[in-house]
Amino acid sequence: KIRLKITMTEQNIKDYVYGQTLKSLRGIAFFALGVLAIVILVLTWNDQGTLAKVCLIGIAAIYLVVQPVMTILKANTLSKRPELFVPIEYEIDEEEVAVTQGEEHIVYRWEDGFRFVVKKNLLLMYVSRINAYILPKDQLGEDYTRLLTMAKNHGCPVRA
């Protein structure tokens, strides 16, 4: 049985938001699109009209400046929400995963289907396609390996 008490930090929340937005496949594609717009602008400067130049500069600005700034602002806003800092208690055994936060209590069965995603500083435990519990590795300690072993034993996908 694994018992955890996780208290999120501002940095944990920021790591999650950055990882989901800027470091995702979509974030990398948008960055590449911004760089491509700059490359096209530079290589075809003399062949482009003013409108085309403005459009390429706009595309580059949106993907290389605006999107990252908006992500940083979103992360900063989320990291100030007090409800995210209420400790979450996990009780994990061979049958189920029980999660308690304040008065809220929910129990998931392993058969419900979890998936785990390993990030640099976080372990994300997805309970649905889009809903995940964020488990900071530094708070898991030796339970990190035990949890991943238990997940694999129950057939849960673990992606790095």
Side-chain angles (χ1 to χ4, degrees), residues 82-112:
E83 64 269 19
L84 294 177
F85 298 101
V86 175
I88 302 175
E89 296 177 19
Y90 299 87
E91 194 168 300
I92 304 164
D93 60 31
E94 290 300 323
E95 302 296 320
E96 62 191 22
V97 177
V99 182
T100 305
Q101 183 178 29
E103 299 296 316
E104 304 272 331
H105 180 76
I106 191 164
V107 176
Y108 301 97
R109 308 233 3 116
W110 283 105
E111 298 84 40
D112 295 339

Side-chain angles (χ1 to χ4, degrees), residues 12-151:
N12 296 145
I13 294 166
K14 289 177 181 179
D15 287 346
Y16 175 74
V17 172
Y18 298 154
Q20 295 299 103
T21 307
L22 298 177
K23 297 177 184 176
S24 68
L25 182 60
R26 183 179 64 182
I28 293 168
F30 285 164
F31 178 79
L33 187 60
V35 170
L36 181 63
I38 290 174
V39 168
I40 291 170
L41 180 68
V42 169
L43 293 178
T44 63
W45 182 262
N46 292 329
D47 300 330
Q48 297 292 341
T50 304
L51 182 60
K53 290 176 187 175
V54 169
C55 287
L56 288 169
I57 291 170
I59 290 170
I62 287 170
Y63 294 125
L64 298 178
V65 178
V66 175
Q67 186 200 14
V69 167
M70 295 300 289
T71 300
I72 291 166
L73 292 174
K74 177 181 178 182
N76 287 339
T77 301
L78 278 175
S79 68
K80 302 297 184 219
R81 292 178 58 185
E83 64 269 19
L84 294 177
F85 298 101
V86 175
I88 302 175
E89 296 177 19
Y90 299 87
E91 194 168 300
I92 304 164
D93 60 31
E94 290 300 323
E95 302 296 320
E96 62 191 22
V97 177
V99 182
T100 305
Q101 183 178 29
E103 299 296 316
E104 304 272 331
H105 180 76
I106 191 164
V107 176
Y108 301 97
R109 308 233 3 116
W110 283 105
E111 298 84 40
D112 295 339
F114 292 89
R115 75 182 162 92
F116 291 80
V117 177
V118 178
K119 299 288 186 177
K120 181 180 176 187
N121 299 317
L122 304 172
L123 175 63
L124 305 178
M125 182 173 68
Y126 282 88
V127 295
S128 71
R129 194 175 148 279
I130 58 171
N131 296 322
Y133 289 99
I134 304 169
L135 304 171
K137 286 183 182 178
D138 61 350
Q139 293 184 46
L140 291 175
E142 62 191 41
D143 290 325
Y144 171 76
T145 305
R146 290 178 54 214
L147 179 57
L148 286 182
T149 301
M150 194 178 285

